[in-house]
Amino acid sequence: REAPFARQPASSYESQTLLRSHCASTNWLEGTPNQHGQRERGVLAHRSYVSNFSRPAPAVVGTDLDIETACHGASFVRNWSRFAPCKNTKCANHRSVVLHRHATSCVASGYNLLFLHGRRLPYNLCRNLEWLVCASTGSLPLQLGAPIRIASPTHNLSTALIGSRYGGLPKGQDVFKYTSDDVFWLEL
């Protein structure tokens, strides 16, 4: 499970996911950049980090922009729009700082968030499903049965755009990857 380039037997993954074996012990924010944009060096990044919410912490799902609005408010979302193709260190560092704020604002607002950016336990769709099973059963750290908050209005979703862009860029201008909009469709 924690060896990113080793295959985990499907039966092991399925049983551990269904039994919620790692829900409360996993840092679902692992690898989050620190306030200076350095990957895997912030407080939230460490494998042993456990959120210390003061009340039950619902899980939050949605597109990145809508999650940010739910966690920090509409005024912060303007910074998210600066995610343009990065060709230099300054731009990439700014992007990491914004990612740090995204994660910390959700924790400060009392939300459990799936935000894996580490090398040891990287994000993938299997981790996403595992997190969703944990969230849907109220088993995330200090979730204590709190419901899932859906930050994005579902009536705005369109299947026409699934897989068509990465980070808001037209297809062909960057590496093809699924966007947070695509993953939100899968989560629903």
Side-chain angles (χ1 to χ4, degrees):
R1 177 181 187 269
E2 296 178 6
F5 301 107
R7 292 189 125 179
Q8 179 182 14
S11 59
S12 173
Y13 167 77
E14 291 167 0
S15 64
Q16 289 177 13
T17 298
L18 292 174
L19 292 171
R20 301 180 308 274
S21 301
H22 304 286
C23 291
S25 61
T26 297
N27 175 8
W28 297 103
L29 304 167
E30 188 171 319
T32 299
N34 68 10
Q35 68 272 22
H36 305 294
Q38 298 165 314
R39 282 185 45 166
E40 301 191 33
R41 298 209 180 182
V43 173
L44 301 179
H46 295 283
R47 139 187 220 171
S48 61
Y49 174 80
V50 178
S51 301
N52 57 350
F53 299 112
S54 59
R55 62 186 188 281
V60 62
V61 298
T63 65
D64 287 337
L65 287 172
D66 292 330
I67 289 172
E68 189 56 51
T69 300
C71 293
H72 197 81
S75 62
F76 185 77
V77 172
R78 286 189 293 273
N79 287 327
W80 199 271
S81 66
R82 296 182 189 171
F83 276 24
C86 291
K87 302 287 186 200
N88 60 55
T89 307
K90 184 177 179 184
C91 176
N93 188 53
H94 170 73
R95 184 178 213 159
S96 293
V97 169
V98 173
L99 290 173
H100 164 76
R101 291 182 193 157
H102 180 66
T104 55
S105 66
C106 284
V107 170
S109 296
Y111 288 110
N112 271 297
L113 176 70
L114 175 61
F115 203 70
L116 295 172
H117 284 268
R119 292 182 189 100
R120 189 188 69 83
L121 191 64
Y123 173 84
N124 59 45
L125 290 178
C126 292
R127 275 316 134 239
N128 197 304
L129 176 61
E130 181 183 3
W131 184 87
L132 281 171
V133 168
C134 296
S136 66
T137 57
S139 304
L140 293 171
L142 295 168
Q143 187 180 6
L144 305 174
I148 296 174
R149 172 161 183 204
I150 299 175
S152 298
T154 56
H155 66 273
N156 289 342
L157 292 173
S158 168
T159 57
L161 296 176
I162 291 179
S164 66
R165 64 195 189 289
Y166 170 59
L169 300 174
K171 191 173 182 178
Q173 286 190 1
D174 204 344
V175 179
F176 176 80
K177 292 183 179 182
Y178 289 106
T179 67
S180 67
D181 294 17
D182 299 333
V183 173
F184 180 51
W185 259 109
L186 295 173
E187 290 173 340
L188 293 178

